[in-house]
Amino acid sequence: MKKIISSLTVFLSIWAVSVAWPGNVHRTDNTQKELLIPVTAGQMQLIYKVSGTDGRLYQVYLGPRLEQPEALLQSRVQGHPAYATFGTDNLFEPAIRITHNDGNPSLELKYVSHSVETPSPGVTLTHILLKDSVYPVEVTLNIRAFSEENIMEQWVEIVHHESKPVTVFNYASSMLHFDCDHYWLTQFHGDWAEEMRMEESELTYGMKVLDSKLGTRAHMYETPVFFLSLNKKSDENTGNLIAGTLGWSGNFQIVFEVDEKGSLRVISGINPFASEYSLDPGKIFRTPSFIFTFSGEGKGLASRNLHHWATRFGILDGDKPRLTLLNNWETTYFDFNEPKLVSLIDDTKKMGLDLFLLDDGWFGNKYPRNNDHAGLGDWQENKLKLPDGLGYLVKEADKKGVKFGIWIEPEMVNPKSELYENHPDWILKLPNRPENYFRNQLVLDLTNPKVQDFVYSIIDGMLTKYPGIAYIKWDCNRMMTNAYSPYLKDKQSQLFIDYVNSLYDVFSRMRQKYPHLPIMLCSGGGGRVDYGALRYFTEFWASDNTDPFERVYIQWGYSFFFPSIAVCNHVTSWGKQSLKFKTDVAMMGKLGYDLKVNSLTDKELKFSQDAIQNYKRLSDVIWHGDLYRLISPYEENRAVLMYVNPEQTKAVLFAYTLNARFGETFNKVKLQGLDPQKTYTIKEINIIDESHGPGNWNMVSQTYSGDYLMKVGLNIGMPVSMTSTVLEITGS
Ligand code: DGJ
């Protein structure tokens, strides 16, 4: 596709050249000079050039770190506009579009200065200031580079000093360019209970857009994550690619546009659809972050880069342990009372789990929450179900030595609620049209500061009254439809953006007072999984679909971009597979249960108790170890993956046989990430039945060198549908 020569447009410069390396604060104010601005994150490098001819900023390189970036100046690579504007000479999709208050729809950005800070060891922060030479509009490109993790985070600030507001139509977080022969896009799509379905296709000339218009959720249909493989398709261990994701919990847009010369621009940010923003003079419009990594060794390394970054910077308390739990949703739904809940608290203890999580249905009196038609918004304990209040349950849990957690959905309201009756002006709904329900509910108008206070007060009020509450599940069960904000009045096009920023304000206020409370991010399953929200959350509910067969694919999908410590997987009664299969599938992330413990046989109970102990012993490796996806369920009728601790002394391997065919045989699995020089003992764990069948390890420990395991491999698991094997691997 790409005619390589076209990317190296001959460029004559009469100006001097220089390369600006990071210092504590480096500032250059000479637009007359051709200048390179390299941004380096470990092995990856993004290089901009200030043109000596037109003073604009260009991207001249993105890829593995260069030994001699200054050669880019010698070879006169022109590059591509770093942040393309609209209205002058750009003929393709812009990163920014503004109409000035005199009606002029053009913007032309020139380099003014840049600075580089080192806010903490291993992290640099580059700011590049661009300005229009005619209108007082300034745009700052910000890049935070994480050297140990090989990750970059890009966002943009837009500000102007015109006499009246300007209208901003496009406001990308990032614009990146590539010059390759072929581009392979891997995208993840889905729906409720079908999250993270992976699909790969080649990009052709023109535009391909991944986006959402859901308002309260980032996704459900398309997910704001992608792999872009350059020149050739990549696999787990080979290929050059970019892995990218947008940290924004609302409408997003990622545009891939291949131009007539075969160059690709990737523009990521808030979805500009129906969202022009009126920006007051002096007010900063700050975009969310686009987070990305470059890997020259396939998708596996890209995922590990993202996991390392996420556990250190991307999710709350990513370096801390998590609580195992028993949830009551799938066992009781709305039908429970105090004695039933106390018996579930007992079950939590019996299983050896840390916490009991009370789900939906505990609130509402005038309109009791006995189903999803009523009560949402009325956050007082239902007196019939909980006559002694939440405090009693917190104490019961404490007496039994387990913690107590609670479900809330504070952004929403049922029309059948006191909240709806008392505050009709707090609700997003269109004038002159009927209310449009999804799960019988409406969305509150979070752009209104009074609503923000209300939402904050639900959490703060509950935690103040019951300080023993040790965990929250924050749900969001609908997207926006027929949405109109009574608060925003004539600025309706700002609703999608202001809603999410208001939500972040509430999250941030909550985190100032409760910095470490574990909170699960949920949205009717995984409808709001993104790094914008995960800054405030310790984990997320991956999907309401807990059938372990489906879960293998769903969890596999998430594993590309999110670390296992954040992915909540529960063992439930959904699916006809064995308890062992369900347990083994849930154990590859953050383990929980939502199961009638009293329906387990003695053998199953003992198996579960042992499995939970195994999990607790190995969870640090699963949560913080390096993930190696060994065999993809998209390629074989099985899935195999393993986690290895940084010292390479402990690993846990999970193998799941899915729908095996008659007579199917599986080849040996070559392990990865081990030390070839070390000796490893392999032991099967989570055994429920010793006569499990041939091919399994039957509790016999065996010893091999790391070299053997990685070059020859092992026969793992059986070609029998819905069976699984977990191996504990210990090296010395
Ligand atoms: C949707 C969530 O995904 C479920 O886990 C459960 O919490 C229900 N909402 C409760 O209404």
Side-chain angles (χ1 to χ4, degrees):
M1 174 186 289
K2 182 70 197 153
K3 296 147 205 147
I4 290 175
I5 195 72
S6 67
S7 72
L8 303 174
T9 307
V10 175
F11 177 76
L12 294 170
S13 166
I14 52 166
W15 307 108
V17 296
S18 74
V19 180
W21 291 104
N24 254 352
V25 175
H26 175 91
R27 188 167 275 279
T28 304
D29 289 299
N30 183 1
T31 53
Q32 302 298 297
K33 195 169 163 187
E34 193 158 278
L35 177 76
L36 283 187
I37 307 173
V39 185
T40 310
Q43 298 311 310
M44 150 195 189
Q45 205 164 40
L46 171 62
I47 305 181
Y48 292 111
K49 184 187 77 175
V50 180
S51 160
T53 312
D54 61 16
R56 296 186 194 175
L57 187 73
Y58 293 89
Q59 180 198 308
V60 283
Y61 181 77
L62 172 57
R65 185 184 187 145
L66 296 182
E67 295 292 332
Q68 284 186 311
E70 55 285 358
L72 290 165
L73 289 179
Q74 286 155 22
S75 64
R76 296 170 180 166
V77 174
Q78 176 168 5
H80 301 279
Y83 199 68
T85 61
F86 168 80
T88 55
D89 53 5
N90 170 33
L91 297 173
F92 295 93
E93 192 67 9
I96 184 168
R97 176 158 87 91
I98 282 182
T99 296
H100 303 277
N101 64 57
D102 64 0
N104 187 318
S106 68
L107 188 70
E108 199 178 48
L109 294 173
K110 302 217 171 186
Y111 168 86
V112 177
S113 65
H114 76 281
S115 65
V116 185
E117 301 164 36
T118 309
S120 58
V123 182
T124 58
L125 185 51
T126 304
H127 309 282
I128 307 174
L129 177 63
L130 311 174
K131 259 190 193 165
D132 190 295
S133 41
V134 180
Y135 287 88
V137 176
E138 295 174 9
V139 173
T140 307
L141 310 186
N142 303 288
I143 308 130
R144 195 179 278 127
F146 300 86
S147 66
E148 278 178 40
E149 295 78 15
N150 299 295
I151 293 281
M152 287 188 193
E153 207 186 318
Q154 284 189 312
W155 73 99
V156 167
E157 284 156 352
I158 304 164
V159 70
H160 73 92
H161 304 285
E162 300 192 13
S163 55
K164 290 192 230 134
V166 305
T167 307
V168 194
F169 293 89
N170 291 62
Y171 24 67
S173 299
S174 156
M175 180 169 210
L176 297 174
H177 300 268
F178 303 88
D179 292 298
C180 299
D181 293 333
H182 299 274
Y183 308 100
W184 290 93
L185 174 69
T186 308
Q187 65 187 94
F188 294 79
H189 66 98
D191 198 345
W192 176 80
E194 298 176 19
E195 290 86 347
M196 296 302 276
R197 296 191 171 187
M198 181 167 76
E199 191 151 320
E200 188 170 31
S201 54
E202 185 169 6
L203 292 174
T204 52
Y205 291 97
M207 279 194 1
K208 160 97 183 177
V209 179
L210 303 179
D211 79 340
S212 78
K213 303 181 181 81
L214 301 166
T216 50
R217 295 171 163 181
H219 55 101
M220 204 159 89
Y221 308 135
E222 288 294 335
T223 312
V225 296
F226 69 87
F227 287 118
L228 176 70
S229 299
L230 305 170
N231 288 313
K232 291 189 181 126
K233 281 186 177 184
S234 61
D235 58 23
E236 279 297 320
N237 296 309
T238 60
N240 292 324
L241 65 114
I242 295 285
T245 180
L246 187 78
W248 180 247
S249 313
N251 297 355
F252 73 89
Q253 189 191 61
I254 305 174
V255 174
F256 301 84
E257 186 176 30
V258 181
D259 69 17
E260 83 291 359
K261 293 196 166 66
S263 294
L264 168 69
R265 59 179 59 184
V266 180
I267 306 174
S268 313
I270 298 174
N271 194 343
F273 176 79
S275 293
E276 61 264 27
Y277 208 92
S278 167
L279 189 63
D280 289 331
K283 207 169 162 222
I284 296 175
F285 184 100
R286 186 171 290 113
T287 73
S289 287
F290 175 68
I291 300 133
F292 69 103
T293 185
F294 171 84
S295 163
E297 293 167 38
K299 297 186 175 96
L301 178 64
S303 296
R304 289 188 288 281
N305 288 345
L306 283 163
H307 297 168
H308 291 159
W309 172 83
T311 48
R312 282 168 212 166
F313 304 98
I315 58 173
L316 187 76
D317 288 338
D319 55 344
K320 308 252 163 40
R322 298 293 189 264
L323 298 165
T324 56
L325 59 84
L326 179 70
N327 188 196
N328 71 313
W329 177 242
E330 288 195 32
T331 54
T332 67
Y333 293 104
F334 298 94
D335 179 21
F336 55 79
N337 56 23
E338 219 170 64
K340 212 181 219 177
L341 295 180
V342 172
S343 80
L344 292 179
I345 290 173
D346 290 335
D347 288 343
T348 309
K349 181 71 186 169
K350 198 197 285 179
M351 292 280 276
L353 296 163
D354 301 316
L355 176 128
F356 172 66
L357 170 61
L358 173 57
D359 215 285
D360 196 353
W362 57 268
F363 48 88
N365 284 297
K366 182 172 175 189
Y367 301 102
R369 180 79 171 164
N370 291 330
N371 50 51
D372 60 20
H373 286 259
L376 205 55
D378 299 346
W379 299 103
Q380 301 80 33
E381 293 99 319
N382 177 279
K383 292 201 170 72
L384 283 179
K385 287 184 191 172
L386 304 180
D388 300 305
L390 288 174
Y392 172 77
L393 295 173
V394 175
K395 271 197 208 121
E396 278 301 299
D398 191 48
K399 261 203 285 182
K400 310 278 163 58
V402 295
K403 294 179 192 294
F404 182 82
I406 189 109
W407 177 95
I408 49 170
E409 192 182 0
E411 298 157 70
M412 303 284 164
V413 61
N414 280 133
K416 264 190 171 181
S417 69
E418 292 184 75
L419 180 66
Y420 181 95
E421 288 172 351
N422 297 335
H423 297 286
D425 55 325
W426 282 11
I427 298 168
L428 295 179
K429 49 182 176 167
L430 271 179
N432 309 323
R433 296 208 186 270
E435 290 175 0
N436 184 267
Y437 306 126
F438 188 92
R439 211 192 186 209
N440 313 301
Q441 64 195 56
L442 294 165
V443 184
L444 293 179
D445 184 3
L446 256 191
T447 64
N448 182 339
K450 285 192 189 137
V451 178
Q452 293 167 26
D453 287 347
F454 167 76
V455 171
Y456 173 76
S457 74
I458 296 164
I459 297 121
D460 189 38
M462 214 162 55
L463 293 172
T464 306
K465 193 163 170 200
Y466 307 117
I469 291 180
Y471 186 93
I472 287 178
K473 175 178 179 183
W474 182 307
D475 209 343
C476 163
N477 279 297
R478 71 158 296 170
M479 66 299 281
M480 286 181 196
T481 54
N482 287 30
Y484 174 95
S485 158
Y487 181 78
L488 286 176
K489 298 194 179 74
D490 62 343
K491 293 192 173 163
Q492 292 303 316
S493 66
Q494 299 183 187
L495 173 59
F496 293 130
I497 296 175
D498 286 354
Y499 183 93
V500 179
N501 281 327
S502 305
L503 182 67
Y504 289 161
D505 286 347
V506 175
F507 289 163
S508 135
R509 201 164 151 196
M510 172 180 84
R511 281 308 178 192
Q512 274 158 31
K513 187 149 177 199
Y514 306 101
H516 299 293
L517 183 79
I519 308 186
M520 183 202 285
L521 177 63
C522 175
S523 183
R528 194 188 252 173
V529 181
D530 66 85
Y531 283 116
L534 282 169
R535 285 175 289 170
Y536 307 100
F537 288 79
T538 48
E539 54 222 69
F540 63 85
W541 183 227
S543 177
D544 277 351
N545 190 338
T546 51
D547 178 312
F549 170 73
E550 292 293 337
R551 272 295 185 131
V552 166
Y553 290 89
I554 292 170
Q555 294 166 194
W556 194 267
Y558 282 118
S559 83
F560 286 110
F561 300 91
F562 302 96
S564 66
I565 191 171
V567 189
C568 297
N569 307 328
H570 293 179
V571 179
T572 75
S573 56
W574 199 343
K576 293 196 170 62
Q577 302 85 344
S578 69
L579 181 70
K580 171 174 166 58
F581 188 78
K582 293 177 177 183
T583 309
D584 290 354
V585 171
M587 259 175 83
M588 74 177 257
K590 199 210 145 225
L591 175 69
Y593 285 77
D594 197 340
L595 188 78
K596 284 192 176 123
V597 175
N598 61 13
S599 70
L600 298 178
T601 62
D602 289 349
K603 193 168 154 191
E604 286 174 331
L605 178 63
K606 173 81 173 65
F607 165 79
S608 301
Q609 290 165 332
D610 291 347
I612 291 163
Q613 288 316 310
N614 285 336
Y615 183 72
K616 290 191 167 182
R617 183 162 43 78
L618 298 171
S619 52
D620 193 46
V621 184
I622 297 169
W623 295 338
H624 297 117
D626 281 338
L627 169 66
Y628 294 88
R629 285 177 296 258
L630 306 178
I631 294 178
S632 166
Y634 285 88
E635 284 164 16
E636 292 192 19
N637 283 325
R638 59 175 173 166
V640 186
L641 65 144
M642 65 188 284
Y643 298 96
V644 185
N645 72 351
E647 300 76 29
Q648 296 169 299
T649 53
K650 198 65 151 179
V652 188
L653 181 146
F654 297 93
Y656 311 110
T657 303
L658 303 169
N659 286 325
R661 303 291 305 272
F662 174 78
E664 180 154 13
T665 51
F666 288 145
N667 286 332
K668 281 192 169 68
V669 180
K670 288 180 186 147
L671 276 51
Q672 292 176 28
L674 301 175
D675 179 346
Q677 306 301 327
K678 284 195 167 66
T679 301
Y680 290 92
T681 305
I682 317 267
K683 184 172 184 286
E684 184 178 1
I685 58 168
N686 284 8
I687 294 170
I688 192 164
D689 190 346
E690 287 170 35
S691 60
H692 202 53
N696 267 28
W697 289 77
N698 295 328
M699 290 189 297
V700 181
S701 293
Q702 300 194 22
T703 301
Y704 300 90
S705 69
D707 181 64
Y708 178 90
L709 291 170
M710 293 194 289
K711 288 183 181 155
V712 180
L714 297 174
N715 287 314
I716 302 171
M718 300 175 293
V720 176
S721 297
M722 306 300 148
T723 55
S724 51
T725 306
V726 183
L727 301 180
E728 178 175 351
I729 301 167
T730 310
S732 56

